[in-house]
Amino acid sequence: MINKKTKKQKEIDNQNVLKAYKNLHKKADNFVREVYELEFDVRYLNIGTISDMLESVNKVNFALGRQKEGHTYSDYTKDSNKKEWANSTSITRYKEK
């Protein structure tokens, strides 16, 4: 069944976006520090630093996409043919407290 997101679910989405941005800031800060320490000689830049930063960017994009979705669905097989499907998130993504 597809339903509109509750206020609590929207708050969870906003918290996830904020958390993703904070994580991205840490990774970007680490990248800038490493470049500065290497005196801009990127031949010695750690590939893991770049990979971590790109992974954080993907998490931010995912969180932003989920934030834009206005509905939740409970069952893929029953709900995938409804018109709100493209604008919905699985209900299992939210842990109601």
Side-chain angles (χ1 to χ4, degrees):
M1 173 184 258
I2 294 183
N3 297 316
K4 284 197 166 250
K5 284 187 179 179
T6 64
K7 187 175 181 179
K8 178 71 174 173
Q9 290 168 337
K10 290 178 183 179
E11 288 175 9
I12 291 171
D13 285 342
N14 292 337
Q15 291 171 358
N16 287 339
V17 168
L18 183 61
K19 199 180 302 183
Y21 272 127
K22 285 181 180 179
N23 189 26
L24 177 61
H25 176 266
K26 289 178 188 176
K27 302 297 181 176
D29 186 47
N30 187 28
F31 173 77
V32 170
R33 287 176 193 256
E34 192 169 321
V35 168
Y36 182 73
E37 288 173 3
L38 295 172
E39 298 175 355
F40 302 99
D41 189 0
V42 294
R43 290 182 291 175
Y44 302 107
L45 189 63
N46 187 357
I47 297 297
T49 304
I50 296 171
S51 177
D52 288 346
M53 193 168 58
L54 291 175
E55 183 179 328
S56 294
V57 168
N58 288 338
K59 287 180 181 179
V60 167
N61 290 335
F62 180 75
L64 287 172
R66 200 163 79 181
Q67 184 183 39
K68 290 179 186 176
E69 294 170 344
H71 296 81
T72 59
Y73 69 89
S74 57
D75 187 7
Y76 174 81
T77 56
K78 293 179 183 176
D79 299 330
S80 61
N81 57 357
K82 296 186 179 172
K83 67 177 184 175
E84 297 92 359
W85 171 253
N87 189 27
S88 62
T89 303
S90 174
I91 193 70
T92 59
R93 296 271 184 193
Y94 301 101
K95 297 176 183 169
E96 296 291 336
K97 296 178 182 176

PDB file of all heavy atoms in Angstrom, residues 22-41:
ATOM      1  N   LYS A  22      27.405  16.032   6.901  1.00  0.00           N
ATOM      2  CA  LYS A  22      28.476  16.090   7.909  1.00  0.00           C
ATOM      3  C   LYS A  22      29.579  15.099   7.567  1.00  0.00           C
ATOM      4  O   LYS A  22      30.764  15.413   7.680  1.00  0.00           O
ATOM      5  CB  LYS A  22      27.920  15.796   9.304  1.00  0.00           C
ATOM      6  CG  LYS A  22      27.142  16.940   9.884  1.00  0.00           C
ATOM      7  CD  LYS A  22      26.642  16.597  11.271  1.00  0.00           C
ATOM      8  CE  LYS A  22      25.857  17.727  11.872  1.00  0.00           C
ATOM      9  NZ  LYS A  22      25.336  17.410  13.211  1.00  0.00           N
ATOM     10  N   ASN A  23      29.187  13.903   7.141  1.00  0.00           N
ATOM     11  CA  ASN A  23      30.165  12.890   6.753  1.00  0.00           C
ATOM     12  C   ASN A  23      30.963  13.351   5.538  1.00  0.00           C
ATOM     13  O   ASN A  23      32.184  13.179   5.476  1.00  0.00           O
ATOM     14  CB  ASN A  23      29.468  11.568   6.473  1.00  0.00           C
ATOM     15  CG  ASN A  23      30.432  10.438   6.284  1.00  0.00           C
ATOM     16  OD1 ASN A  23      31.540  10.456   6.796  1.00  0.00           O
ATOM     17  ND2 ASN A  23      30.024   9.437   5.535  1.00  0.00           N
ATOM     18  N   LEU A  24      30.277  13.950   4.573  1.00  0.00           N
ATOM     19  CA  LEU A  24      30.959  14.469   3.389  1.00  0.00           C
ATOM     20  C   LEU A  24      31.942  15.571   3.768  1.00  0.00           C
ATOM     21  O   LEU A  24      33.049  15.630   3.232  1.00  0.00           O
ATOM     22  CB  LEU A  24      29.945  14.991   2.372  1.00  0.00           C
ATOM     23  CG  LEU A  24      30.534  15.642   1.115  1.00  0.00           C
ATOM     24  CD1 LEU A  24      31.386  14.647   0.342  1.00  0.00           C
ATOM     25  CD2 LEU A  24      29.426  16.201   0.248  1.00  0.00           C
ATOM     26  N   HIS A  25      31.555  16.413   4.701  1.00  0.00           N
ATOM     27  CA  HIS A  25      32.455  17.485   5.143  1.00  0.00           C
ATOM     28  C   HIS A  25      33.737  16.912   5.746  1.00  0.00           C
ATOM     29  O   HIS A  25      34.839  17.392   5.458  1.00  0.00           O
ATOM     30  CB  HIS A  25      31.755  18.377   6.177  1.00  0.00           C
ATOM     31  CG  HIS A  25      32.650  19.426   6.733  1.00  0.00           C
ATOM     32  ND1 HIS A  25      33.350  19.246   7.894  1.00  0.00           N
ATOM     33  CD2 HIS A  25      32.985  20.655   6.268  1.00  0.00           C
ATOM     34  CE1 HIS A  25      34.078  20.315   8.139  1.00  0.00           C
ATOM     35  NE2 HIS A  25      33.866  21.190   7.161  1.00  0.00           N
ATOM     36  N   LYS A  26      33.598  15.875   6.553  1.00  0.00           N
ATOM     37  CA  LYS A  26      34.779  15.238   7.150  1.00  0.00           C
ATOM     38  C   LYS A  26      35.700  14.672   6.070  1.00  0.00           C
ATOM     39  O   LYS A  26      36.923  14.839   6.130  1.00  0.00           O
ATOM     40  CB  LYS A  26      34.364  14.120   8.102  1.00  0.00           C
ATOM     41  CG  LYS A  26      33.726  14.589   9.372  1.00  0.00           C
ATOM     42  CD  LYS A  26      33.304  13.400  10.223  1.00  0.00           C
ATOM     43  CE  LYS A  26      32.497  13.839  11.416  1.00  0.00           C
ATOM     44  NZ  LYS A  26      32.011  12.693  12.200  1.00  0.00           N
ATOM     45  N   LYS A  27      35.103  13.989   5.082  1.00  0.00           N
ATOM     46  CA  LYS A  27      35.913  13.380   4.014  1.00  0.00           C
ATOM     47  C   LYS A  27      36.572  14.446   3.150  1.00  0.00           C
ATOM     48  O   LYS A  27      37.743  14.316   2.760  1.00  0.00           O
ATOM     49  CB  LYS A  27      35.047  12.463   3.136  1.00  0.00           C
ATOM     50  CG  LYS A  27      34.355  11.363   3.885  1.00  0.00           C
ATOM     51  CD  LYS A  27      35.300  10.397   4.514  1.00  0.00           C
ATOM     52  CE  LYS A  27      34.505   9.312   5.219  1.00  0.00           C
ATOM     53  NZ  LYS A  27      35.306   8.274   5.786  1.00  0.00           N
ATOM     54  N   ALA A  28      35.845  15.521   2.837  1.00  0.00           N
ATOM     55  CA  ALA A  28      36.417  16.593   2.027  1.00  0.00           C
ATOM     56  C   ALA A  28      37.528  17.310   2.794  1.00  0.00           C
ATOM     57  O   ALA A  28      38.556  17.673   2.214  1.00  0.00           O
ATOM     58  CB  ALA A  28      35.331  17.587   1.619  1.00  0.00           C
ATOM     59  N   ASP A  29      37.328  17.505   4.094  1.00  0.00           N
ATOM     60  CA  ASP A  29      38.352  18.137   4.923  1.00  0.00           C
ATOM     61  C   ASP A  29      39.613  17.274   4.960  1.00  0.00           C
ATOM     62  O   ASP A  29      40.732  17.784   4.846  1.00  0.00           O
ATOM     63  CB  ASP A  29      37.811  18.353   6.336  1.00  0.00           C
ATOM     64  CG  ASP A  29      38.768  19.129   7.200  1.00  0.00           C
ATOM     65  OD1 ASP A  29      39.288  20.166   6.734  1.00  0.00           O
ATOM     66  OD2 ASP A  29      38.994  18.707   8.360  1.00  0.00           O
ATOM     67  N   ASN A  30      39.441  15.968   5.075  1.00  0.00           N
ATOM     68  CA  ASN A  30      40.574  15.044   5.066  1.00  0.00           C
ATOM     69  C   ASN A  30      41.322  15.121   3.729  1.00  0.00           C
ATOM     70  O   ASN A  30      42.548  15.120   3.690  1.00  0.00           O
ATOM     71  CB  ASN A  30      40.082  13.622   5.332  1.00  0.00           C
ATOM     72  CG  ASN A  30      41.207  12.640   5.502  1.00  0.00           C
ATOM     73  OD1 ASN A  30      42.299  12.998   5.928  1.00  0.00           O
ATOM     74  ND2 ASN A  30      40.939  11.397   5.172  1.00  0.00           N
ATOM     75  N   PHE A  31      40.556  15.192   2.635  1.00  0.00           N
ATOM     76  CA  PHE A  31      41.150  15.302   1.303  1.00  0.00           C
ATOM     77  C   PHE A  31      41.968  16.583   1.169  1.00  0.00           C
ATOM     78  O   PHE A  31      43.112  16.565   0.692  1.00  0.00           O
ATOM     79  CB  PHE A  31      40.045  15.271   0.246  1.00  0.00           C
ATOM     80  CG  PHE A  31      40.528  15.533  -1.148  1.00  0.00           C
ATOM     81  CD1 PHE A  31      41.182  14.551  -1.866  1.00  0.00           C
ATOM     82  CD2 PHE A  31      40.326  16.773  -1.740  1.00  0.00           C
ATOM     83  CE1 PHE A  31      41.630  14.793  -3.156  1.00  0.00           C
ATOM     84  CE2 PHE A  31      40.769  17.022  -3.023  1.00  0.00           C
ATOM     85  CZ  PHE A  31      41.420  16.032  -3.730  1.00  0.00           C
ATOM     86  N   VAL A  32      41.408  17.697   1.607  1.00  0.00           N
ATOM     87  CA  VAL A  32      42.118  18.984   1.503  1.00  0.00           C
ATOM     88  C   VAL A  32      43.377  18.970   2.352  1.00  0.00           C
ATOM     89  O   VAL A  32      44.439  19.450   1.921  1.00  0.00           O
ATOM     90  CB  VAL A  32      41.180  20.147   1.900  1.00  0.00           C
ATOM     91  CG1 VAL A  32      41.945  21.447   2.032  1.00  0.00           C
ATOM     92  CG2 VAL A  32      40.067  20.286   0.883  1.00  0.00           C
ATOM     93  N   ARG A  33      43.297  18.424   3.551  1.00  0.00           N
ATOM     94  CA  ARG A  33      44.485  18.341   4.420  1.00  0.00           C
ATOM     95  C   ARG A  33      45.577  17.484   3.774  1.00  0.00           C
ATOM     96  O   ARG A  33      46.756  17.823   3.826  1.00  0.00           O
ATOM     97  CB  ARG A  33      44.110  17.755   5.776  1.00  0.00           C
ATOM     98  CG  ARG A  33      43.340  18.691   6.644  1.00  0.00           C
ATOM     99  CD  ARG A  33      42.932  17.974   7.927  1.00  0.00           C
ATOM    100  NE  ARG A  33      41.950  18.730   8.640  1.00  0.00           N
ATOM    101  CZ  ARG A  33      42.215  19.438   9.738  1.00  0.00           C
ATOM    102  NH1 ARG A  33      43.432  19.462  10.218  1.00  0.00           N
ATOM    103  NH2 ARG A  33      41.256  20.099  10.329  1.00  0.00           N
ATOM    104  N   GLU A  34      45.168  16.360   3.178  1.00  0.00           N
ATOM    105  CA  GLU A  34      46.147  15.478   2.555  1.00  0.00           C
ATOM    106  C   GLU A  34      46.820  16.159   1.362  1.00  0.00           C
ATOM    107  O   GLU A  34      48.034  16.056   1.184  1.00  0.00           O
ATOM    108  CB  GLU A  34      45.482  14.175   2.123  1.00  0.00           C
ATOM    109  CG  GLU A  34      46.475  13.108   1.733  1.00  0.00           C
ATOM    110  CD  GLU A  34      45.829  11.749   1.574  1.00  0.00           C
ATOM    111  OE1 GLU A  34      44.943  11.392   2.360  1.00  0.00           O
ATOM    112  OE2 GLU A  34      46.245  11.042   0.639  1.00  0.00           O
ATOM    113  N   VAL A  35      46.039  16.860   0.554  1.00  0.00           N
ATOM    114  CA  VAL A  35      46.611  17.587  -0.590  1.00  0.00           C
ATOM    115  C   VAL A  35      47.573  18.666  -0.085  1.00  0.00           C
ATOM    116  O   VAL A  35      48.656  18.857  -0.637  1.00  0.00           O
ATOM    117  CB  VAL A  35      45.499  18.192  -1.469  1.00  0.00           C
ATOM    118  CG1 VAL A  35      46.061  19.178  -2.478  1.00  0.00           C
ATOM    119  CG2 VAL A  35      44.754  17.084  -2.200  1.00  0.00           C
ATOM    120  N   TYR A  36      47.191  19.359   0.967  1.00  0.00           N
ATOM    121  CA  TYR A  36      48.036  20.410   1.523  1.00  0.00           C
ATOM    122  C   TYR A  36      49.338  19.827   2.068  1.00  0.00           C
ATOM    123  O   TYR A  36      50.423  20.389   1.855  1.00  0.00           O
ATOM    124  CB  TYR A  36      47.274  21.156   2.626  1.00  0.00           C
ATOM    125  CG  TYR A  36      48.049  22.278   3.229  1.00  0.00           C
ATOM    126  CD1 TYR A  36      48.256  23.463   2.532  1.00  0.00           C
ATOM    127  CD2 TYR A  36      48.583  22.169   4.508  1.00  0.00           C
ATOM    128  CE1 TYR A  36      48.975  24.501   3.086  1.00  0.00           C
ATOM    129  CE2 TYR A  36      49.302  23.197   5.071  1.00  0.00           C
ATOM    130  CZ  TYR A  36      49.493  24.363   4.360  1.00  0.00           C
ATOM    131  OH  TYR A  36      50.218  25.390   4.920  1.00  0.00           O
ATOM    132  N   GLU A  37      49.254  18.692   2.768  1.00  0.00           N
ATOM    133  CA  GLU A  37      50.447  18.055   3.319  1.00  0.00           C
ATOM    134  C   GLU A  37      51.392  17.577   2.224  1.00  0.00           C
ATOM    135  O   GLU A  37      52.612  17.554   2.404  1.00  0.00           O
ATOM    136  CB  GLU A  37      50.057  16.888   4.215  1.00  0.00           C
ATOM    137  CG  GLU A  37      49.444  17.307   5.533  1.00  0.00           C
ATOM    138  CD  GLU A  37      48.918  16.131   6.331  1.00  0.00           C
ATOM    139  OE1 GLU A  37      49.080  14.973   5.891  1.00  0.00           O
ATOM    140  OE2 GLU A  37      48.336  16.378   7.400  1.00  0.00           O
ATOM    141  N   LEU A  38      50.838  17.172   1.095  1.00  0.00           N
ATOM    142  CA  LEU A  38      51.662  16.705  -0.019  1.00  0.00           C
ATOM    143  C   LEU A  38      52.175  17.856  -0.874  1.00  0.00           C
ATOM    144  O   LEU A  38      52.834  17.617  -1.887  1.00  0.00           O
ATOM    145  CB  LEU A  38      50.857  15.733  -0.893  1.00  0.00           C
ATOM    146  CG  LEU A  38      50.452  14.435  -0.225  1.00  0.00           C
ATOM    147  CD1 LEU A  38      49.508  13.662  -1.130  1.00  0.00           C
ATOM    148  CD2 LEU A  38      51.677  13.600   0.100  1.00  0.00           C
ATOM    149  N   GLU A  39      51.853  19.068  -0.450  1.00  0.00           N
ATOM    150  CA  GLU A  39      52.262  20.272  -1.174  1.00  0.00           C
ATOM    151  C   GLU A  39      51.796  20.211  -2.622  1.00  0.00           C
ATOM    152  O   GLU A  39      52.536  20.530  -3.546  1.00  0.00           O
ATOM    153  CB  GLU A  39      53.768  20.482  -1.053  1.00  0.00           C
ATOM    154  CG  GLU A  39      54.214  20.702   0.370  1.00  0.00           C
ATOM    155  CD  GLU A  39      55.715  20.791   0.525  1.00  0.00           C
ATOM    156  OE1 GLU A  39      56.447  20.595  -0.464  1.00  0.00           O
ATOM    157  OE2 GLU A  39      56.150  21.050   1.653  1.00  0.00           O
ATOM    158  N   PHE A  40      50.561  19.780  -2.805  1.00  0.00           N
ATOM    159  CA  PHE A  40      49.868  19.747  -4.087  1.00  0.00           C
ATOM    160  C   PHE A  40      50.501  18.813  -5.112  1.00  0.00           C
ATOM    161  O   PHE A  40      50.259  18.927  -6.298  1.00  0.00           O
ATOM    162  CB  PHE A  40      49.718  21.160  -4.661  1.00  0.00           C
ATOM    163  CG  PHE A  40      48.975  22.073  -3.743  1.00  0.00           C
ATOM    164  CD1 PHE A  40      49.633  22.962  -2.919  1.00  0.00           C
ATOM    165  CD2 PHE A  40      47.592  22.012  -3.684  1.00  0.00           C
ATOM    166  CE1 PHE A  40      48.945  23.790  -2.069  1.00  0.00           C
ATOM    167  CE2 PHE A  40      46.889  22.841  -2.835  1.00  0.00           C
ATOM    168  CZ  PHE A  40      47.571  23.735  -2.027  1.00  0.00           C
ATOM    169  N   ASP A  41      51.325  17.880  -4.663  1.00  0.00           N
ATOM    170  CA  ASP A  41      51.885  16.868  -5.559  1.00  0.00           C
ATOM    171  C   ASP A  41      50.953  15.652  -5.494  1.00  0.00           C
ATOM    172  O   ASP A  41      51.090  14.796  -4.631  1.00  0.00           O
ATOM    173  CB  ASP A  41      53.301  16.491  -5.143  1.00  0.00           C
ATOM    174  CG  ASP A  41      53.994  15.612  -6.164  1.00  0.00           C
ATOM    175  OD1 ASP A  41      53.367  15.297  -7.202  1.00  0.00           O
ATOM    176  OD2 ASP A  41      55.149  15.244  -5.924  1.00  0.00           O
TER     177      ASP A  41
END
